C-alpha cells in the first residue's frame, strides 16, 4: 500500500479560546491536487499553518511521506525541515530582496551550492517568464509578476508538497483568469502534491482533483467536484459547486 | 475655502508656538555664536576640539553598547516565545523614563567605594570613562530595545512565516526581520547617540569631562559667559541638524516603522537558542533593576525616607506643574502636527523637523538660547517665572507627543476622515469629531509620554528654574554633592514613584487598546 504524501489524522487546533479545527482527518496522495474549501473563518488557513508547523495542533497527528511531523501537541519536525513550500494569500514576498533573491533565499539557507542555486533559480525564472526581471524588487513588479515570483519561490525548492492559500484572491477578474491558466500549466506537470485553499469553485474545478470542505473547523464533505455537485451536504457546498462555470464541469 | 482656512489657521498657531518655544532660542544661539567677535579663537582651541571628538567617541561607545544588547533583546521580546514578555519589557524599559542621574546614583550605591558590591577597584572603574559608558549604556539601551520591539512587531507576520518555512528562527531573524526592521533600530541608535552626547548631569557626577558640560559650565558656577557658551554651542547645533537629516533618511519611506502594525499570533520558538534568549532577557532586566535596588537599599538603611519627605518641599509639585503645562500644550500641538505628519503634510514635516532639532540639541545649548532670548526686562514675566520652564520643556519635548500621535493616526484609515469631509465636515470638525475620538488613547499616551520626558529633564531645569521653582531632579542634583546619601536616594525614589504612576496610566491605556 502506498504511503500518502500528507496524512492528517484527527487534528484539532485551538487559537486562544477558539476551536479553529476539530478532529480533521484526510489524506493527500502523491501527485494529487486537493482543494480545501470553506467559508471565512472555517479553519482553512489554520489547517495550512498546522501542516507547515507554524501552528502546533492540540491533538491528532500529521505525517508527511510517512514521517510523523507533529503529534498530540508536540512539534516533532520544525517547519524548515518539513520540505513544504507555500504560496501565501498576500504572497509575502520579501521586499528587501529581488525576484531572484526571493527564489534563492531558501536554497541559500539550506546550503545548496552556488552553481546549483544559480541553475535552479535561472530555470524557474525562465519557466515563470521573468528572466528579465530577476534583479527587480517586488515593489517594481506588477501584480501578475509578483504572483509568479511567489509561485516560483515555491517551485524552486522542489518541495515534497506545495500549499497555496487563496493565491488568486487579491487579483482582479482579468488577471485572475490569466493566472489561473498559468497555475494550471505549472501544476499540470506537477512534481509533487498540492493543497489549494480556495472559496471559489471555478478555481477548484480548474486545478484540483478532489475537494475537502471545511465548515466551523470540521470537515463537512469530501469528494470530487462531481460528487459534491451531485449530493451537496450543506448550503455552502451547494453554493460552492453552483458557482462553477460551465466550461469546468 | 472654509476647510483650507481652518487648516491654515491651525497650522499657523501650532507653528507659531513651536517657533517661539524651540525655533527662536536655537536661532538666537546660532546668531549670537556667529556674531561674537573672536568666537573662532574660543571654538578652535585644542582643548575644545579634544573634548568634542572625545564626546562623539563616547556617544559612539554608548550607542554600540545599546545596539548590541537592545537589538537582540528587542527581537527576542518582539517575536520570541517568551512568557510574560510585556512585564519583562516594562521592567527593562523603566530606566529610559528616569533622569539618567538617578540611575548613576543607584550604580554609585552599588559599585562606589562603600557601595553594596563595591570596593576601591569598582569605584575607580565607575568614576571613569568606562563607568560613564556603562551607566549611560545600561540606561539608554531600552530605547533601542523599544524601537526594535515595535519595529519587528511591525513586520508583516506572513513575511516571517514565509522565512520560517525554509529557515531556522535565528536565520529568519538575521536575514529577514532585522533587514526589514532596520529603520526602527536606526532611529533607536540615533536617539541613544544624541541623548548620550547631550548628557551633562551624569558625566559631571562621574567626573568625566564632556563637551556639553563645557557649554553648561559657562552658564553657572564661577563663570557666567553666555556669549562664549553660544560659540561653543555652534558645533552641537550643527551635529543636531546632521542627526535630524539622518533620522529623516532612516524613516523616509518607513513612516510607520514604529507603529507595530503586525498582528502576530504565533511567537517564534528559538529551539536550542532558548537559553540564550532568556539570558538576554535576564541581563536586560537585571541591568535596569539593579540601580533602583541600590537606591532602595541605601534609602532604607538610614531612614532616608523621613528626611527626604521633609526636604521634598514643593519640588514634586513644581515638577508636575511645569510638566503638565508643557505636556498639555504639546498634546494640542500633536493633534494638529502629528495628524498632519501621518497624512503626509509637507508643512507638518517642516514643523516636526524643528521640534526634532530642539529635542536632539543638548539642553545645555537650548538653555543658552533660552537665556539669550528671554533674559531681558521686557520678558521678565516669562523668564522670572515657572513659564520659562514650561516653555523650554515644550520646545524640547513637543516632538515626543507629535510622534506618538502620528503613530496612532497612522493606524486609522484615512477613509474615515474622507467620509466626514464628503459629508461637509471642515478641518476642525474632522479633527474634533473623527481624528481625536478615534485616536484618543494615542493623544493621552502622547500627553503622558511627554509628561514623563519633562519630568526626567534635569539640565533645562537646572539652568532656568526661577527662585522658589526648584523641581525634584534639581533638588536631587544639588543635594547629591553635599546632602546625606540616604536622603538623596529616597528623593530619587520619590521621583521614580512619580514616573511609575504616569507609566502605570500609560500601561492601562495600552491594555485598553489591545482589548478594545
Amino acid at each position: 500500500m502506498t504511503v500518502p504524501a500528507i496524512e492528517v489524522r484527527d487534528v484539532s487546533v485551538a487559537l486562544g479560546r477558539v476551536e479553529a479545527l476539530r478532529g480533521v482527518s484526510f489524506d493527500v496522495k502523491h501527485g494529487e491536487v486537493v482543494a480545501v474549501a470553506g467559508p471565512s473563518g472555517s479553519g482553512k488557513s489554520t489547517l495550512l499553518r498546522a501542516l507547515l508547523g507554524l501552528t502546533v495542533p492540540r491533538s491528532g497527528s500529521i505525517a508527511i511521506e510517512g514521517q510523523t511531523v507533529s503529534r498530540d501537541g508536540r512539534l516533532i519536525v520544525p517547519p524548515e525541515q518539513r520540505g513544504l513550500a507555500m504560496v501565501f494569500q498576500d504572497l509575502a514576498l520579501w521586499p528587501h530582496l529581488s525576484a531572484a533573491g526571493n527564489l534563492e533565499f531558501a536554497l541559500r539557507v539550506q546550503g545548496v551550492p552556488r552553481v546549483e542555486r544559480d541553475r535552479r533559480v535561472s530555470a524557474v525564472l525562465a519557466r515563470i517568464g521573468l528572466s528579465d526581471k530577476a534583479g527587480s524588487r517586488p515593489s517594481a513588479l506588477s501584480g501578475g509578476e509578483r504572483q509568479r515570483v511567489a509561485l516560483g519561490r515555491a517551485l524552486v525548492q522542489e518541495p515534497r508538497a506545495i500549499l497555496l492559500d487563496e493565491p488568486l484572491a487579491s487579483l482582479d477578474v482579468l488577471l485572475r483568469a490569466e493566472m489561473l491558466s498559468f497555475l494550471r500549466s505549472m501544476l499540470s506537470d506537477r512534481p509533487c502534491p498540492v493543497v489549494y485553499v480556495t472559496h471559489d469553485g471555478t478555481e477548484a474545478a480548474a486545478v484540483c482533483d478532489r475537494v475537502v470542505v471545511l465548515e466551523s473547523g470540521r470537515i463537512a464533505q469530501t469528494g470530487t467536484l462531481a460528487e459534491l455537485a451531485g449530493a451537496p451536504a450543506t448550503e455552502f457546498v451547494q453554493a460552492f459547486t453552483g458557482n462553477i462555470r460551465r466550461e469546468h464541469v | 475655502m472654509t476647510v483650507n482656512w481652518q487648516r491654515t489657521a491651525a497650522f499657523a498657531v501650532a507653528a507659531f508656538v513651536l517657533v517661539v518655544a524651540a525655533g527662536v532660542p536655537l536661532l538666537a544661539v546660532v546668531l549670537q555664536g556667529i556674531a561674537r567677535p573672536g568666537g573662532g579663537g574660543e571654538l578652535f582651541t585644542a582643548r575644545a576640539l579634544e573634548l568634542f571628538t572625545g564626546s562623539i567617541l563616547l556617544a559612539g561607545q554608548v550607542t554600540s553598547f545599546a545596539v548590541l544588547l537592545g537589538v537582540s533583546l528587542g527581537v527576542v521580546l518582539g517575536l520570541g516565545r517568551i512568557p510574560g514578555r510585556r512585564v519583562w519589557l516594562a521592567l527593562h524599559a523603566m530606566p529610559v523614563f528616569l533622569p539618567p542621574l538617578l540611575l548613576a546614583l543607584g550604580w554609585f550605591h552599588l559599585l562606589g567605594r562603600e557601595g553594596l558590591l563595591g570596593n576601591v577597584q569598582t569605584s575607580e572603574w565607575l568614576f571613569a570613562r568606562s563607568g560613564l559608558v556603562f551607566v549611560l549604556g545600561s540606561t539608554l539601551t531600552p530605547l533601542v530595545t523599544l524601537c526594535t520591539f515595535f519595529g519587528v512587531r511591525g513586520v508583516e507576520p506572513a513575511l516571517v512565516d514565509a522565512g520560517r518555512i525554509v529557515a531556522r528562527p535565528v536565520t529568519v531573524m538575521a536575514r529577514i526581520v532585522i533587514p526589514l526592521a532596520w529603520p526602527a533600530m536606526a532611529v533607536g541608535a540615533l536617539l541613544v547617540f544624541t541623548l548620550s552626547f547631550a548628557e551633562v548631569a551624569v558625566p559631571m557626577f562621574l567626573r568625566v569631562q564632556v563637551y556639553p558640560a563645557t557649554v553648561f559650565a559657562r552658564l553657572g558656577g564661577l563663570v557666567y559667559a553666555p556669549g562664549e557658551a553660544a560659540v561653543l554651542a555652534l558645533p552641537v547645533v550643527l551635529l543636531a541638524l546632521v542627526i535630524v537629516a539622518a533620522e529623516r533618511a532612516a524613516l523616509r519611506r518607513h513612516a510607520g516603522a514604529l507603529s507595530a502594525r503586525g498582528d502576530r499570533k504565533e511567537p517564534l520558538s528559538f529551539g536550542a537558542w532558548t537559553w540564550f534568549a532568556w539570558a538576554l532577557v535576564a541581563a536586560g532586566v537585571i541591568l535596569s533593576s539593579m540601580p533602583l535596588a541600590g537606591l532602595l537599599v541605601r534609602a532604607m538603611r538610614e531612614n532616608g525616607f523621613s528626611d527626604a519627605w521633609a526636604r521634598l518641599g514643593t519640588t514634586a509639585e513644581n515638577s508636575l506643574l511645569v510638566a503638565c503645562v508643557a505636556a498639555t500644550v504639546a498634546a494640542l500641538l500633536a493633534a494638529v502636527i502629528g495628524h498632519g505628519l501621518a497624512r503626509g503634510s509637507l508643512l507638518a514635516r517642516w514643523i516636526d523637523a524643528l521640534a526634532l532639532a530642539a529635542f536632539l540639541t543638548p539642553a545645555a545649548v537650548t538653555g543658552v538660547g533660552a537665556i539669550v532670548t528671554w533674559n531681558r526686562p521686557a520678558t521678565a514675566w516669562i523668564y522670572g517665572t515657572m513659564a520659562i520652564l514650561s516653555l523650554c520643556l515644550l520646545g524640547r519635548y513637543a516632538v515626543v507627543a507629535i510622534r506618538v500621535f502620528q503613530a496612532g493616526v497612522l493606524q486609522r484609515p484615512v477613509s474615515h476622515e474622507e467620509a466626514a469631509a464628503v459629508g461637509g465636515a471642515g478641518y476642525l470638525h474632522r479633527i474634533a469629531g473623527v481624528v481625536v475620538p478615534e485616536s484618543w488613547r494615542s493623544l493621552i499616551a502622547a500627553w503622558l509620554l511627554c509628561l514623563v520626558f519633562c519630568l526626567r529633564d534635569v539640565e533645562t531645569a537646572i539652568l532656568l528654574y526661577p527662585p522658589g521653582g526648584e523641581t525634584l531632579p534639581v533638588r536631587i542634583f544639588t543635594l547629591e554633592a553635599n546632602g546625606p546619601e540616604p536622603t538623596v536616594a529616597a528623593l530619587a525614589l520619590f521621583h521614580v514613584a512619580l514616573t511609575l504612576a504616569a507609566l502605570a496610566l500609560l500601561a492601562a491605556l495600552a491594555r485598553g487598546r489591545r482589548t478594545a
Side-chain angles (χ1 to χ4, degrees):
Chain A
M1 198 174 94
T2 315
V3 177
I6 297 173
E7 194 176 351
V8 177
R9 285 286 168 273
D10 203 21
V11 162
S12 295
V13 175
L15 298 176
R17 291 176 187 171
V18 179
E19 287 275 322
L21 291 178
R22 310 170 199 207
V24 170
S25 300
F26 68 95
D27 292 343
V28 181
K29 294 177 202 138
H30 287 276
E32 189 181 28
V33 180
V34 172
V36 176
S40 297
S42 58
K44 307 185 293 289
S45 296
T46 304
L47 175 62
L48 290 194
R49 292 180 66 82
L51 292 176
L52 290 165
L54 296 172
T55 293
V56 182
R58 193 188 54 191
S59 61
S61 68
I62 297 173
I64 297 169
E65 292 181 349
Q67 180 191 19
T68 303
V69 292
S70 70
R71 175 182 289 157
D72 296 336
R74 212 156 49 87
L75 186 78
I76 297 169
V77 178
E80 74 273 16
Q81 290 172 18
R82 294 192 177 192
L84 301 178
M86 166 97 161
V87 177
F88 288 80
Q89 186 173 358
D90 61 358
L91 306 184
L93 296 179
W94 299 302
H96 61 300
L97 300 178
S98 64
N102 267 276
L103 266 61
E104 192 192 19
F105 180 84
L107 306 181
R108 187 190 286 259
V109 298
Q110 285 161 9
V112 175
R114 189 188 175 90
V115 176
E116 171 68 3
R117 277 201 322 254
D118 290 348
R119 187 191 65 75
R120 280 164 66 174
V121 168
S122 300
V124 171
L125 278 172
R127 197 171 161 204
I128 60 176
L130 288 177
S131 295
D132 56 332
K133 298 283 175 75
S136 302
R137 296 274 177 99
S139 57
L141 299 173
S142 69
E145 288 168 340
R146 283 200 289 266
Q147 202 84 26
R148 293 185 201 192
V149 173
L151 186 61
R153 186 169 69 178
L155 294 172
V156 79
Q157 296 169 43
E158 297 175 1
R160 295 157 103 181
I162 296 178
L163 317 183
L164 299 102
D165 189 2
E166 302 194 39
L168 308 183
S170 59
L171 300 182
D172 61 49
V173 177
L174 283 177
L175 199 51
R176 185 181 290 205
E178 181 193 324
M179 283 309 301
L180 194 56
S181 148
F182 176 75
L183 254 179
R184 195 156 41 179
S185 74
M186 288 289 126
L187 298 177
S188 60
D189 52 342
R190 55 188 182 262
C192 61
V194 174
V195 178
Y196 190 110
V197 164
T198 181
H199 57 254
D200 186 309
T202 306
E203 272 178 50
V207 295
C208 300
D209 304 315
R210 199 158 55 87
V211 182
V212 174
V213 179
L214 281 177
E215 285 188 56
S216 305
R218 295 178 194 279
I219 291 184
Q221 196 170 2
T222 61
T224 62
L225 268 169
E227 288 166 354
L228 263 59
T234 67
E235 280 181 22
F236 174 82
V237 177
Q238 190 163 26
F240 181 76
T241 51
N243 280 342
I244 301 169
R245 290 200 296 272
R246 287 280 167 213
E247 68 264 31
H248 295 299
V249 177
Chain B
M1 282 303 285
T2 312
V3 172
N4 285 339
W5 177 85
Q6 288 180 350
R7 190 170 176 276
T8 306
F11 269 81
V13 171
F16 175 76
V17 172
L18 268 174
V19 165
V20 169
V24 172
L26 278 178
L27 192 64
V29 172
V30 173
L31 292 179
Q32 176 124 354
I34 291 172
R36 184 175 165 81
E42 290 163 347
L43 186 59
F44 297 110
T45 63
R47 179 69 182 143
L49 287 174
E50 183 192 342
L51 273 178
F52 189 76
T53 50
S55 296
I56 295 270
L57 191 64
L58 178 97
Q61 289 170 319
V62 173
T63 307
S64 306
F65 179 108
V67 167
L68 210 62
L69 181 58
V71 166
S72 329
L73 200 48
V75 170
V76 164
L77 287 171
L79 293 183
R81 192 184 299 279
I82 303 288
R85 80 170 82 191
R86 289 187 184 273
V87 175
W88 304 127
L89 183 66
L91 287 173
H92 168 64
M94 181 68 197
V96 93
F97 301 109
L98 297 171
L101 177 66
L102 302 196
L103 285 305
L105 276 170
W107 285 114
F108 165 68
H109 292 308
L110 290 172
L111 302 178
R113 195 178 296 253
E114 291 167 18
L116 288 169
L117 311 168
N119 54 38
V120 176
Q121 283 79 31
T122 58
S123 177
E124 282 174 356
W125 178 82
L126 183 65
F127 282 89
R129 207 181 163 83
S130 51
L132 182 57
V133 170
F134 174 74
V135 170
L136 288 181
S138 58
T139 305
L140 297 174
T141 291
L143 270 177
V144 179
T145 310
L146 286 169
C147 287
T148 305
F149 178 87
F150 288 115
V152 301
R153 302 282 293 177
V155 173
E156 288 295 333
L159 297 178
V160 180
D161 290 342
R164 197 56 199 91
I165 295 168
V166 293
R168 291 175 306 145
V170 175
T171 311
V172 174
M173 301 275 187
R175 305 284 279 277
I176 292 171
V177 175
I178 291 179
L180 289 175
W182 76 265
M185 295 165 194
V187 168
L190 278 173
L191 279 174
V192 171
F193 183 88
T194 308
L195 293 178
S196 53
F197 179 82
E199 183 61 34
V200 170
V202 176
M204 285 173 82
F205 174 65
L206 295 177
R207 294 166 214 156
V208 178
Q209 285 280 328
V210 292
Y211 189 83
T214 61
V215 180
F216 191 82
R218 301 297 189 280
L219 301 170
L222 297 174
V223 186
Y224 182 73
E228 200 180 327
V231 171
L232 292 173
L234 285 178
V236 182
V237 175
L238 193 64
L239 181 67
L241 293 178
V242 169
I243 295 173
V244 169
E247 192 262 4
R248 282 294 155 100
L251 292 183
R252 190 182 304 148
R253 284 194 296 272
H254 308 273
L258 296 167
S259 300
R261 300 176 312 280
D263 180 24
R264 169 154 286 280
K265 293 188 178 76
E266 292 283 325
L268 288 184
S269 174
F270 296 111
W273 290 83
T274 301
W275 68 270
F276 183 69
W278 275 107
L280 273 175
V281 173
V285 171
I286 289 170
L287 269 181
S288 297
S289 313
M290 275 184 74
L292 298 181
L295 286 173
L296 187 64
V297 172
R298 193 74 187 98
M300 289 175 73
R301 266 194 175 172
E302 292 166 47
N303 204 18
F305 284 108
S306 56
D307 187 35
W309 188 254
R311 288 181 188 249
L312 191 62
T314 59
T315 56
E317 291 164 47
N318 293 341
S319 285
L320 274 175
L321 176 69
V322 294
C324 279
V325 171
T328 304
V329 180
L332 290 172
L333 295 181
V336 176
I337 308 300
H339 170 259
L341 265 185
R343 300 301 180 225
S345 155
L346 190 62
L347 185 56
R349 281 172 59 83
W350 279 102
I351 300 171
D352 171 73
L354 171 64
L356 185 63
F359 176 73
L360 296 177
T361 307
V365 174
T366 48
V368 175
I371 290 169
V372 169
T373 307
W374 302 106
N375 187 12
R376 54 191 75 222
T379 51
W381 58 279
I382 294 177
Y383 190 73
T385 65
M386 301 290 269
I388 186 69
L389 274 184
S390 287
L391 189 66
C392 286
L393 290 175
L394 168 67
R396 203 161 155 65
Y397 298 114
V399 73
V400 175
I402 289 170
R403 294 299 178 92
V404 171
F405 193 63
Q406 178 204 9
V409 174
L410 273 172
Q411 296 183 35
R412 298 287 172 184
V414 70
S415 57
H416 293 192
E417 293 164 47
E418 289 167 346
V422 169
Y427 173 79
L428 291 178
H429 272 114
R430 293 202 301 276
I431 292 287
V434 179
V435 177
V436 171
E438 278 194 343
S439 305
W440 68 271
R441 286 179 194 278
S442 301
L443 197 61
I444 295 178
W447 184 83
L448 278 168
L449 211 57
C450 188
L451 181 88
V452 167
F453 269 84
C454 292
L455 285 175
R456 86 187 271 284
D457 189 286
V458 181
E459 288 88 352
T460 307
I462 291 172
L463 282 173
L464 299 170
Y465 76 91
E470 206 177 347
T471 62
L472 184 50
V474 173
R475 177 66 55 88
I476 295 167
F477 184 78
T478 48
L479 270 181
E480 164 270 311
N482 301 307
E485 284 179 6
T487 306
V488 177
L491 281 172
L493 288 172
F494 282 150
H495 192 289
V496 173
L498 206 62
T499 307
L500 271 179
L503 291 176
L505 283 174
L506 256 178
L509 270 177
R511 196 176 303 120
R513 185 180 190 138
R514 282 203 304 279
T515 52

